[in-house]
Amino acid sequence: MNAPFFKYDLFGDEISLVVAFAIGIGFGFFLERAGFGRARMLAAQFYFRDLRVLKVMFTAIITAMVGLFLLSRLGLVDLSLVYLTPTFLVPQAVGGLILGVGFVIGGYCPGTSCVSAATGRIDGMVYLAGMIGGLVGFAEIYPRVEHLVKATPMGQVTLAEQFNLPYGLLVFAVVLMALGAFLAAEWAEKVVGRKTPDPDSLLAPARPLAPVRRFAIVLVSLGLVAAFAGNPYRGAFARVDTKQLALDAGNKADHVSAVQLADWIVEGRNDFLLIDVRDAAEFAAYHIPGARHVPLAELTSDFVARNERIVVCSEGGIHAAQAWYLLRSLGFPAVYLLFGGLEEWKDTVLYPQAPPATAAPRDQVEFARRAAVATFFGGSPQTTGGAAPAATPALPKLAPPTPAAAPAGAPAGKPKKKKEGC
Amino acid sequence: MSSPPDTSLPEKPHMNPYWAGFGLGLVLLTSFVVMGRGLGASGAFTTAVATAVHAVAPDHATGNAFYAEYLGDGTVNPLKDWLVFEVLGVFVGGFLSGALGNRLRFSIEKGPRISNPARLILAGVGGALMGVGAKLALGCTSGQALSGGALLNLGSWVFMLCVFGGAYAFAWFLRRQWL
């Protein structure tokens, strides 16, 4: 099984919207079942009367966390492909405090207010209107606070990486912590909230082995397995589907021509990562604008997010081809190579040859376009009109091309739509 | 909700919180396995707001970096977005569950010691704060706390502790609204 399915292109964007709707129905259904459509029930959390918010949230968190860990450890899911929101420490802490205050004032969070409004709660509808007002207000002041929103960036980082702890051990610790919190919550409900215990609870169930207690035992056992199960990420010893690799290599679907790559850069596309695997001196002397230097030896399983579209380039193409094989074996699903390498880049992008004067008008127009692209990258088109063409011209200086110099007709790069995250 | 909800039937009690949490966890796990991403809520409203502003004042929207990020490059309708469809599902799922439990009521959730207008004003103020907080934190309780929590995301756990911290610290001032 290759999961996440969407990241392995098992279905496209259109189907993903159907999936989104279905998952949303499940989400909304259980939020309402839990009583999260009612502000008073949610707010009871903060007065120790009814700690459902804590119970529901942490049961959901540990269920998904343990499940995802085990599926990843069994090799069924590639954990590195699951989107992790990047951490911005201070804005997230401040945002969390504001959100918490908003929670106890308004009685809902964004997700629960949808369920509240859907079941007819007027305060939930007003809350949604208030949230839309807050979003508009935030957008209007955004240009002035953008630097604060993007302060203290730490990248996509898990607690395991940050504190250098084994992932599975943390999973177990979170399960134990959650169970401790549940016991404390039930105790607080009894003592502070004077609530009669639920017959199916941890602390005072109607019978000793109530279903919830059994569920807790299963979670702790699975957590204990996780603690000793090792690394959930797919390692350096990947299983290679040689047939698929051979097919991909054979049908040249993994090739990007120099002209195509140049067009991508001119258009400002930012959905791919250009990796240059030559040595440092060669890279310093010249590289394609935007390229990132990663020597072959540093192409490890975690050198970049697994779902990036990667284009590898080298001088001629042999090293790039080797890098392609390496990355594919490591489980990177979308790796392409720059066909012909930098040599081809020089010949066709930087110094394109003019067609003979007798060539068809279509070729002349195409050449004019190529000449504009060449100028964009600091090269120069080679005309055959005069005597023999000059000796190999010197490579252009590494000034990044300015968008203003983009050839006419090419759309200027706009920021790409944020694809994921809340 | 075209016809007025039938309030003659008694409301069914809510689900045991642990089992509701288990169901929610399975939905979240499904999202991870099928989509490679977690759940969300606030992002859909941001997309909707950005689209609405763009329709009224296109230049203003594209000139603002915040809106522009949610509008995309103009090749795809911004509303054809994963989170937008997911949140539409949340409304439908909530309605279905409410209908099955006889819990569809036009009513206002509040404690006995606060008037309806006061409660509605506080709901609006809370919503506005939530809008600001969620954008500052790159997500809300769904995207950050729930989804990021299950992924052991560093920022999500900091966020989650701060949400509880902020709410508990302020709860005393709001007691008349709820208790």
Side-chain angles (χ1 to χ4, degrees), chain A residues 27 99 109-114 127-128 131-132 135 418 421-422, chain B residues 37 39-50 66 70 81 83-84 86-87 90 127 129-144 159:
Chain A
F27 186 23
L99 217 127
C109 63
T112 51
S113 68
C114 300
Y127 176 98
L128 278 174
M131 184 170 73
I132 287 167
L135 289 172
K418 182 160 68 179
C422 179
Chain B
R37 61 177 298 163
L39 304 167
S42 59
F45 291 95
T46 321
T47 305
V49 165
F66 181 74
Y70 285 87
D81 175 74
L83 275 180
V84 171
E86 186 237 56
V87 166
V90 171
L129 279 174
M130 200 62 98
V132 173
K135 286 305 109 181
L136 206 52
L138 290 182
C140 56
T141 20
S142 317
Q144 279 288 15
F159 168 84

Side-chain angles (χ1 to χ4, degrees), chain A residues 113-337:
Chain A
S113 68
C114 300
V115 171
S116 158
T119 48
R121 299 305 184 277
I122 294 155
D123 51 326
M125 300 173 198
V126 173
Y127 176 98
L128 278 174
M131 184 170 73
I132 287 167
L135 289 172
V136 172
F138 185 77
E140 294 308 319
I141 59 159
Y142 185 76
R144 265 169 287 162
V145 297
E146 192 176 0
H147 61 285
L148 297 175
V149 178
K150 298 198 168 146
T152 54
M154 298 181 70
Q156 298 179 307
V157 58
T158 61
L159 291 169
E161 287 165 325
Q162 180 67 23
F163 298 110
N164 205 17
L165 289 166
Y167 197 106
L169 195 64
L170 265 176
V171 166
F172 187 43
V174 171
V175 171
L176 291 183
M177 196 200 73
L179 282 178
F182 295 157
L183 290 172
E186 290 190 9
W187 177 83
E189 284 173 346
K190 205 172 77 179
V191 174
V192 184
R194 307 234 168 75
K195 203 172 156 253
T196 348
D198 195 295
D200 191 14
S201 63
L202 292 171
L203 208 56
R207 53 201 164 97
L209 261 184
V212 162
R213 279 194 173 178
R214 287 188 215 179
F215 178 47
I217 292 168
V218 170
L219 277 174
V220 171
S221 316
L222 292 177
L224 192 63
V225 170
F228 295 101
N231 186 2
Y233 294 99
R234 289 189 180 173
F237 301 98
R239 264 179 307 176
V240 178
D241 186 345
T242 44
K243 206 172 207 168
Q244 188 60 42
L245 275 189
L247 264 174
D248 287 352
N251 65 19
K252 297 185 182 166
D254 57 327
H255 288 184
V256 174
S257 73
V259 170
Q260 212 176 351
L261 178 65
D263 287 344
W264 288 359
I265 299 172
V266 171
E267 286 166 19
R269 268 177 67 166
N270 55 1
D271 58 346
F272 68 95
L273 200 67
L274 181 60
I275 298 292
D276 193 325
V277 295
R278 296 172 307 156
D279 62 38
E282 287 172 312
F283 183 79
Y286 176 78
H287 57 259
I288 298 171
R292 191 172 133 190
H293 181 230
V294 185
L296 270 179
E298 285 170 26
L299 292 175
T300 50
S301 56
D302 55 355
F303 89 106
V304 67
R306 198 68 63 96
N307 51 336
E308 291 272 7
R309 185 201 301 261
I310 301 167
V311 180
V312 272
C313 71
S314 62
E315 194 61 34
I318 293 173
H319 276 136
Q322 289 167 332
W324 178 90
Y325 189 83
L326 188 70
L327 289 173
R328 284 298 301 268
S329 334
L330 287 171
F332 289 86
V335 190
Y336 299 83
L337 35 100

Side-chain angles (χ1 to χ4, degrees), chain B residues 11-35:
Chain B
E11 289 190 16
K12 291 183 187 163
H14 290 284
M15 202 170 174
N16 179 308
Y18 297 113
W19 296 117
F22 180 56
L24 205 55
L26 290 182
V27 172
L28 179 57
L29 183 59
T30 307
S31 187
F32 286 147
V33 172
V34 176
M35 291 302 302

Side-chain angles (χ1 to χ4, degrees), chain B residues 162-178:
Chain B
C162 288
V163 171
F164 278 103
Y168 274 107
F170 246 70
W172 191 81
F173 303 104
L174 275 305
R175 65 193 185 285
R176 284 183 64 87
Q177 182 178 208
W178 304 118

Side-chain angles (χ1 to χ4, degrees), chain A residues 341-408:
Chain A
L342 275 130
E343 288 168 6
E344 185 76 9
W345 173 266
K346 275 181 246 173
D347 293 344
T348 59
V349 173
L350 291 180
Y351 309 111
Q353 282 288 342
T358 52
R362 222 184 62 190
D363 293 343
Q364 303 287 1
V365 171
E366 175 60 21
F367 174 70
R369 210 178 73 81
R370 297 260 57 94
V373 172
T375 324
F376 176 80
F377 285 106
S380 57
Q382 304 296 299
T383 47
T384 45
T392 316
L395 284 164
K397 287 265 178 282
L398 282 175
T402 50

Side-chain angles (χ1 to χ4, degrees), chain A residues 40-59:
Chain A
R40 215 175 158 207
M41 225 161 200
L42 289 160
Q45 167 76 34
F46 306 115
Y47 302 94
F48 299 102
R49 302 293 171 98
D50 183 341
L51 293 121
R52 301 182 152 255
V53 173
L54 179 115
K55 291 182 199 165
V56 174
M57 243 180 86
F58 274 90
T59 309

